[in-house]
Amino acid sequence: MEFDPIDVNNPEAIDYWCKKLTCSKEELLDAINTCGNSGAEVEAYLR
């Protein structure tokens, strides 16, 4: 199951993306604030 766009109000989605991208919740939320909630955009930003 893919959580895209990333729903910041869904703890399962946050956990999923943190594990997928090996990042902290804070790093994930910072990326979302910077580039939006598209999974592909967040992944590109963090890599």
Side-chain angles (χ1 to χ4, degrees), residues 10-28:
N10 181 342
E12 288 180 16
I14 297 296
D15 289 344
Y16 170 85
W17 283 101
C18 287
K19 286 178 186 152
K20 179 175 177 154
L21 302 174
T22 46
C23 68
S24 69
K25 179 179 177 180
E26 291 75 24
E27 291 169 322
L28 181 67

Side-chain angles (χ1 to χ4, degrees), residues 1-4 8-9 11-13 15 17 21 26-27 29 32 35 40-41 43-45:
M1 180 172 179
E2 185 95 8
F3 295 99
D4 198 353
V8 297
N9 297 311
E12 288 180 16
D15 289 344
W17 283 101
L21 302 174
E26 291 75 24
E27 291 169 322
L29 295 176
I32 292 168
C35 61
E41 293 289 326
E43 185 170 9
Y45 176 82

